[in-house]
Amino acid sequence: MVEEKEIVSLVKGLYNTIQRVGLKKVLNKLNELNSPTFSDYENEIKDFIIKQTCMTYGMKFEDLKKPHIRGEKVTARTMCFCQMKKHLALSHENIAGIFGRENHTIVSLALKDFAYKNVDVKSDRDFIEKFKIIDNDISQHKKVVILKYKMVE
């Protein structure tokens, strides 16, 4: 009986909060609770990948999180997906979640697109060249981060 009263009280509070701030904000907060937690190492590498990619493409991370993007923003987001998949042991769902997406298909399609890049096509060649540069920067940074966490232990 006590549990039922607690549940009713919780639901009433949730209902009042939805009425006050809106369903979308409440759902976003609930989704954050469901988000995976990353280790300090993974967070540092993830943040570095995003920072390097945004610097290379001259944009902000917030731009890459928007749902309806085109052009260079899609290319930059694809770069992040590919680098995260290479350097971190994250699932497609986790990578999509970082960018505020619920569906992992966007990551799968981006990785598939990357696998079919052709050096004879200029836009593909440019992407591959940028990928190598960012990849090298990430590899160097990972060495520093690994040393940092070894010293902490």
Side-chain angles (χ1 to χ4, degrees), residues 7-23 26 30:
I7 292 171
V8 170
S9 174
L10 177 68
V11 170
K12 283 181 181 178
L14 185 59
Y15 175 78
N16 290 335
T17 303
I18 291 170
Q19 294 299 314
R20 195 172 62 253
V21 299
L23 180 61
V26 172
L30 288 172

XYZ file of all heavy atoms in Angstrom, residues 7-23 26 30:
146
model
N 4.074 5.721 -5.687
C 3.958 5.751 -7.146
C 2.982 6.842 -7.579
O 3.269 7.625 -8.497
C 3.537 4.366 -7.694
C 4.667 3.354 -7.495
C 3.158 4.461 -9.165
C 4.279 1.915 -7.794
N 1.845 6.909 -6.912
C 0.849 7.944 -7.249
C 1.446 9.323 -7.032
O 1.285 10.229 -7.866
C -0.450 7.740 -6.419
C -1.379 8.930 -6.560
C -1.150 6.455 -6.849
N 2.156 9.500 -5.937
C 2.787 10.786 -5.644
C 3.826 11.137 -6.714
O 3.890 12.272 -7.185
C 3.436 10.732 -4.259
O 4.156 11.904 -4.010
N 4.611 10.162 -7.112
C 5.625 10.376 -8.147
C 4.985 10.748 -9.476
O 5.414 11.687 -10.148
C 6.487 9.118 -8.307
C 7.542 9.169 -9.401
C 8.633 10.166 -9.039
C 8.135 7.799 -9.609
N 3.941 10.038 -9.861
C 3.265 10.308 -11.136
C 2.631 11.695 -11.124
O 2.702 12.422 -12.113
C 2.219 9.204 -11.437
C 1.354 9.581 -12.616
C 2.915 7.874 -11.698
N 2.026 12.071 -10.000
C 1.439 13.416 -9.897
C 2.520 14.489 -10.042
O 2.332 15.492 -10.723
C 0.710 13.590 -8.567
C -0.640 12.923 -8.530
C -1.332 13.164 -7.185
C -2.687 12.474 -7.150
N -3.356 12.664 -5.850
N 3.648 14.264 -9.376
C 4.752 15.216 -9.482
C 5.274 15.310 -10.906
O 5.560 16.402 -11.416
N 5.394 14.174 -11.569
C 5.841 14.145 -12.966
C 4.850 14.882 -13.864
O 5.231 15.679 -14.721
C 6.030 12.704 -13.427
C 6.599 12.488 -14.815
C 7.978 13.128 -14.944
C 6.682 10.997 -15.128
N 3.571 14.621 -13.642
C 2.524 15.283 -14.422
C 2.603 16.803 -14.240
O 2.528 17.565 -15.209
C 1.146 14.760 -14.010
C 0.007 15.485 -14.700
C -0.327 15.179 -16.015
C -0.726 16.465 -14.030
C -1.363 15.850 -16.650
C -1.750 17.138 -14.659
C -2.071 16.827 -15.970
O -3.084 17.497 -16.598
N 2.744 17.256 -13.007
C 2.840 18.698 -12.736
C 4.067 19.304 -13.393
O 4.012 20.418 -13.926
C 2.855 18.959 -11.222
C 1.511 18.675 -10.577
O 0.470 18.737 -11.232
N 1.526 18.334 -9.293
N 5.183 18.571 -13.361
C 6.410 19.054 -14.000
C 6.223 19.165 -15.505
O 6.647 20.150 -16.121
C 7.594 18.119 -13.668
O 7.735 18.038 -12.257
C 8.878 18.633 -14.278
N 5.584 18.172 -16.116
C 5.318 18.220 -17.557
C 4.440 19.415 -17.895
O 4.687 20.124 -18.881
C 4.670 16.895 -18.037
C 5.684 15.759 -17.965
C 4.119 17.040 -19.455
C 5.095 14.367 -18.180
N 3.440 19.682 -17.087
C 2.561 20.822 -17.322
C 3.327 22.141 -17.208
O 3.070 23.082 -17.957
C 1.398 20.821 -16.311
C 0.442 19.659 -16.467
C -0.219 19.648 -17.830
O -0.697 20.667 -18.312
N -0.248 18.493 -18.469
N 4.283 22.192 -16.287
C 5.030 23.420 -16.035
C 6.109 23.682 -17.080
O 6.226 24.803 -17.588
C 5.641 23.359 -14.627
C 6.125 24.686 -14.105
C 6.558 24.645 -12.643
N 7.673 23.742 -12.414
C 7.604 22.553 -11.801
N 6.460 22.132 -11.328
N 8.662 21.799 -11.644
N 6.930 22.662 -17.448
C 8.085 22.896 -18.327
C 7.932 22.284 -19.715
O 8.702 22.599 -20.615
C 9.405 22.379 -17.695
C 9.692 23.088 -16.387
C 9.388 20.886 -17.512
N 6.989 21.395 -19.887
C 6.765 20.790 -21.197
C 7.286 19.368 -21.272
O 8.266 18.999 -20.613
N 6.613 18.595 -22.091
C 6.939 17.180 -22.235
C 8.332 16.966 -22.816
O 9.079 16.080 -22.378
C 5.885 16.492 -23.119
C 6.079 15.002 -23.366
C 6.026 14.235 -22.047
C 5.029 14.484 -24.326
N 11.123 17.263 -20.245
C 11.082 16.139 -19.301
C 11.634 14.888 -19.967
O 12.444 14.156 -19.381
C 9.650 15.914 -18.766
C 9.569 14.638 -17.940
C 9.201 17.112 -17.930
N 14.855 12.577 -18.924
C 14.727 11.143 -18.697
C 15.693 10.361 -19.592
O 16.282 9.370 -19.166
C 13.282 10.678 -18.942
C 12.269 11.107 -17.894
C 10.848 10.771 -18.346
C 12.566 10.449 -16.557
